Each structure stands twice: as C-alpha cells, then as structure tokens.
Amino acid sequence: MKKKYVTIRDIAEKAGVSINTVSRALNNKPDISEETKRKILKIARELGYVKNATASSLRSKQTNIVGVIIADSANPFYAEVLKGIEAASRKYGYQIMLMNTERVYENEEKAIEVLLQRRVDGLLITPVQDRSDDIKALIERKVPFVIVGRHFEELEVDEIHSDEVKGGFFATRHLIKRGRKNILVITGYLFKSAAYMRLEGYKKALKEYGIPFREELIIETDIDIESGYQAMREAIEKGLEFDAVFCYNDLLAFGAMKALKERGYRIPEDVAVVGYDDIVYSSFVCPSLTTVRIKKFEMGYEAFRMLLQRLKGRRKKRKRVILDVELVVRESG
C-alpha cells in the first residue's frame, strides 16, 4: 500500500484553519497567536508531518545547505576543522554536504560543480592549490565561498588560516634555543601557502640567530606518514648532517620518527623532532611530539560564520582572518 504523505492541507482541515495559517505556524511567523501556533504544531506532530525541504528551497531560492570540500578526510587535522564546521552549521540551522578531493585538483573541480548543481547556498573549500582556475571561476560566477586553511596571495577572497610564518618561526627558534643548528625541514609541496609560509618562518628564525640557510636541508614531499618515513630515510642515506627536523605536519613527523628509530637514532638526544598541527595522536606517540598547535575547531567554526555573513549580505569587502598559533613542548624536542 502506497504511503500517504501528510500535507499542510491535511493539517488545516483537522485544525479548522486556513492553509495560509498553517504555513505561517510551521514557518514560525510572528503574525499568528501562540495558542493557534501550538495547536497547529501539535496536530502536525500527531499526523507525522514532514516538511518538504525541496519545495521550500524552490520558493525561497535557498537550500540551507553548505557544500564543504575537504582536501583529505583521512587526515585528523581536517577532521577537527570539520567538527567546527558542523557545530556552526547546527547552531545556525544549516546542513552540510561533504566531498573529499584526496588532494587532487581535478577532484576539486568536479566537487565544486557537483555541489553547485545540488544548489548549495555556498562553499567552504580547503583547496589543493597547485592551480587556482576553479577559485577564479567561482569569483567570476559570484558564488559565495570561503577558503579554509590556505592563503591566495594573488586573489581577493574570503579566507581563514593560521599564522603560518609565526608557526614556522616558533618551531625553528625552539630548536635553535635547544642548541640545534643543523635543522632539516621535511615540508609539503611549496605551491601550498601553508608550506611556503612555514618555510619562511624557518628562514626568519635562522637569520635572526645568525645560522646560514642550507638548501640541501629542505626536502619537499607529500604530507602523509609514509612520505615522512621515506623523506627521512632519504636524508639519512644521503649522509646529510642534521641534529633536528622540523616537519610540515605531525603525520610527517610520525613517519620521520619511525625512520630515525629504525636507524638507531635517539629522539631527542641525537635528533630533535618538531611537528605541526597538534593532532590528537601527537601526545600519545613515543616520545610525545613537540608541535605547533593551531586552532583547528575554531578555524572551521569561524569559516562557517564568515560564509554566513556573506550569504546574509552583511559584508561586501573580502575578509582575511589569521588565527594565532602556539608551541606545545613535549618529549621529542
């Protein structure tokens, strides 16, 4: 037997009021008495009424859905950012539609098109950044969006990210103050704003303490555990002279630490290790990881608020928010 869906006409007939009155009650309009509203809502619950979101969105031209494009859902960093986005979406009555690009630009392009076809109200994007054609297209199409965790030097966009230069400086200064002068860097690909800004902070600290910059101590790679492991093995096999390593993120640091231990290096006695992000596992590895803590939850939460301001038309100028960072000193360096 085919299920009969309850309509506002059904509610109106049982309540003895007009369809328009039911509509105002269900949409919490002010021009209706509280007694009538309570009566209508009670009948709606009893009948099992479910609001037709599609029809409502067609009338209002809004879906109350935000598209979220994450670069790597397997990375705990993005999981924490997503928590912030979800918390804000619940608070402000929105839903999110999530897509993962696996750090592939073509996937990012496809994700944008799919979400726009689904008529999302706006986008939150953690971009791959090896190209910016898709972001430029969004600007031209006047699509509301916020860039999360990245900075586009050449584009005027709404964006929120950490103070990456400060983070790189803090990590390097800490190692220098611990007596380390040959500091290896295992960095992400330098087309990423976070990677080149953290490296800028590294260079700034070296200069401040009179330590020459050595190009051979910079290893550029992907940003997962296996890449950190392989990069450290490469550095050891090349015979590079180093007494510390600053990693682009904690995942790289985990891999680097495994490679060091396998080759008999003591951490931090022989080689000090500093990571970046302070993901949940960083305090549980052995030795526990010294790292740069960034405000991951706040980044997601504030990114959603920024998008909401744009959707509500409360802001015309582009906005750039830079979140502060702090060094968390543990056992590894």
Side-chain angles (χ1 to χ4, degrees):
M1 183 176 177
K2 189 175 180 180
K3 182 179 177 181
K4 179 183 183 298
Y5 289 96
V6 178
T7 67
I8 61 173
R9 183 182 298 277
D10 298 324
I11 300 171
E13 288 177 357
K14 185 164 184 179
V17 297
S18 70
I19 291 174
N20 189 40
T21 300
V22 173
S23 177
R24 293 203 303 275
L26 294 175
N27 288 289
N28 199 29
K29 299 294 184 182
D31 54 344
I32 182 173
S33 72
E34 284 300 318
E35 183 181 352
T36 301
K37 186 186 297 183
R38 281 196 297 271
K39 176 184 175 183
I40 291 170
L41 293 177
K42 182 173 182 292
I43 291 171
R45 285 193 299 272
E46 290 172 350
L47 293 176
Y49 172 75
V50 178
K51 187 175 181 180
N52 187 332
T54 302
S56 297
S57 68
L58 287 172
R59 288 192 296 270
S60 66
K61 295 185 180 180
Q62 288 186 321
T63 60
N64 275 28
I65 298 175
V66 166
V68 180
I69 300 174
I70 293 291
D72 184 2
S73 59
N75 187 330
F77 164 79
Y78 290 114
E80 289 295 318
V81 173
L82 188 57
K83 279 186 180 179
I85 293 172
E86 289 175 325
S89 69
R90 284 193 295 270
K91 178 174 180 179
Y92 295 105
Y94 279 74
Q95 294 178 318
I96 64 170
M97 189 174 292
L98 177 65
M99 299 197 73
N100 175 34
T101 66
E102 298 180 339
R103 303 195 304 277
V104 175
Y105 174 79
E106 288 75 16
N107 291 348
E108 182 177 302
E109 284 187 314
K110 291 174 185 175
I112 288 173
E113 288 308 313
V114 167
L115 290 170
L116 293 182
Q117 287 169 14
R118 296 296 181 91
R119 300 292 188 265
V120 296
D121 293 341
L123 297 170
L124 297 174
I125 309 173
T126 63
V128 177
Q129 262 198 330
D130 62 343
R131 277 170 280 172
S132 59
D133 296 349
D134 55 345
I135 305 301
K136 291 174 182 175
L138 287 174
I139 296 171
E140 291 171 4
R141 295 162 72 175
K142 294 182 169 53
V143 174
F145 70 94
V146 175
I147 297 297
V148 185
R150 295 287 182 266
H151 168 55
F152 281 94
E153 191 72 43
E154 76 282 8
L155 300 179
E156 285 291 321
V157 295
D158 289 332
E159 60 183 26
I160 181 169
H161 59 83
S162 299
D163 193 335
E164 309 289 14
V165 176
K166 181 189 281 189
F169 178 84
F170 279 0
T172 311
R173 182 180 66 179
H174 170 75
L175 290 168
I176 293 170
K177 285 186 172 182
R178 291 292 175 97
R180 313 298 169 129
K181 294 184 178 179
N182 299 302
I183 303 171
L184 178 72
V185 177
I186 302 178
T187 180
Y189 296 121
L190 291 172
F191 56 72
K192 298 176 188 290
S193 61
Y196 72 70
M197 287 194 289
R198 290 172 197 180
L199 185 60
E200 184 181 333
Y202 165 84
K203 292 177 179 178
K204 182 180 176 183
L206 292 183
K207 184 176 181 181
E208 185 168 307
Y209 286 88
I211 299 173
F213 172 72
R214 294 165 53 197
E215 188 71 47
E216 71 270 18
L217 289 182
I218 310 301
I219 299 179
E220 191 176 350
T221 186
D222 208 345
I223 58 174
D224 53 29
I225 294 176
E226 178 63 24
S227 297
Y229 177 77
Q230 294 298 340
M232 180 53 73
R233 287 191 57 170
E234 175 188 330
I236 294 170
E237 288 166 5
K238 281 184 176 179
L240 293 178
E241 181 188 353
F242 60 93
D243 54 14
V245 56
F246 167 39
C247 295
Y248 169 85
N249 66 9
D250 294 346
L251 297 180
L252 283 174
F254 297 161
M257 289 167 70
K258 183 177 188 296
L260 286 168
K261 290 176 184 178
E262 286 181 357
R263 294 301 182 97
Y265 290 87
R266 297 170 301 160
I267 304 170
E269 292 85 357
D270 300 324
V271 179
V273 180
V274 174
Y276 206 105
D277 288 346
D278 192 30
I279 62 176
V280 65
Y281 309 118
S282 299
S283 60
F284 293 98
V285 294
C286 187
S288 57
L289 183 63
T290 294
T291 184
V292 177
R293 176 179 292 162
I294 63 178
K295 299 177 179 178
K296 300 173 285 296
F297 180 91
E298 291 87 343
M299 184 181 293
Y301 194 92
E302 289 305 315
F304 190 93
R305 281 166 44 87
M306 288 170 66
L307 181 60
L308 193 59
Q309 289 175 350
R310 179 67 63 188
L311 293 173
K312 301 295 183 183
R314 296 173 185 162
R315 181 166 42 81
K316 300 300 181 185
K317 290 185 178 180
R318 298 295 173 182
K319 184 176 182 180
R320 181 185 181 193
V321 174
I322 303 175
L323 300 173
D324 203 7
V325 298
E326 64 175 308
L327 183 72
V328 180
V329 179
R330 297 194 181 103
E331 299 168 342
S332 69

